[in-house]
Amino acid sequence: MFLTRVGEDCTVVINGDVSQCDLDETSGLRAVLHLIKSQRLPVPVIEFTAADIVRSGLCAMWVRRLRRSACLNPS
């Protein structure tokens, strides 16, 4: 619904983390990102990685460890 309300000459910034989803089905954010990429829509997407974390070295360490753990033990 939100995407159908965007008007001409406006700027919309949506941020989120597709890894933080408690739904059993695919999240809306993940679905929209897939649509943008698969249909090559002219919508800019900026994706950050663990290398972009600037909070602290400790925070970056936890993110790396949690991602590694999730890869080894997918649910």
Side-chain angles (χ1 to χ4, degrees):
M1 184 174 109
F2 168 76
L3 295 175
T4 63
R5 302 299 189 264
V6 176
E8 295 294 326
D9 298 321
C10 74
T11 300
V12 175
V13 176
I14 301 171
N15 68 38
D17 185 343
V18 294
S19 70
Q20 295 183 11
C21 181
D22 58 356
L23 304 172
D24 290 334
E25 63 272 359
T26 300
S27 73
L29 178 59
R30 188 181 299 268
V32 168
L33 288 172
H34 174 73
L35 183 67
I36 290 169
K37 292 175 184 178
S38 67
Q39 299 295 311
R40 296 186 177 150
L41 298 177
V43 177
V45 173
I46 300 170
E47 295 184 73
F48 296 102
T49 67
D52 296 306
I53 296 172
V54 294
R55 291 181 192 159
S56 69
L58 184 60
C59 179
M61 179 205 66
W62 278 113
V63 169
R64 284 190 209 97
R65 294 295 192 262
L66 290 168
R67 285 192 178 150
R68 185 179 304 156
S69 175
C71 290
L72 296 175
N73 303 309
S75 43

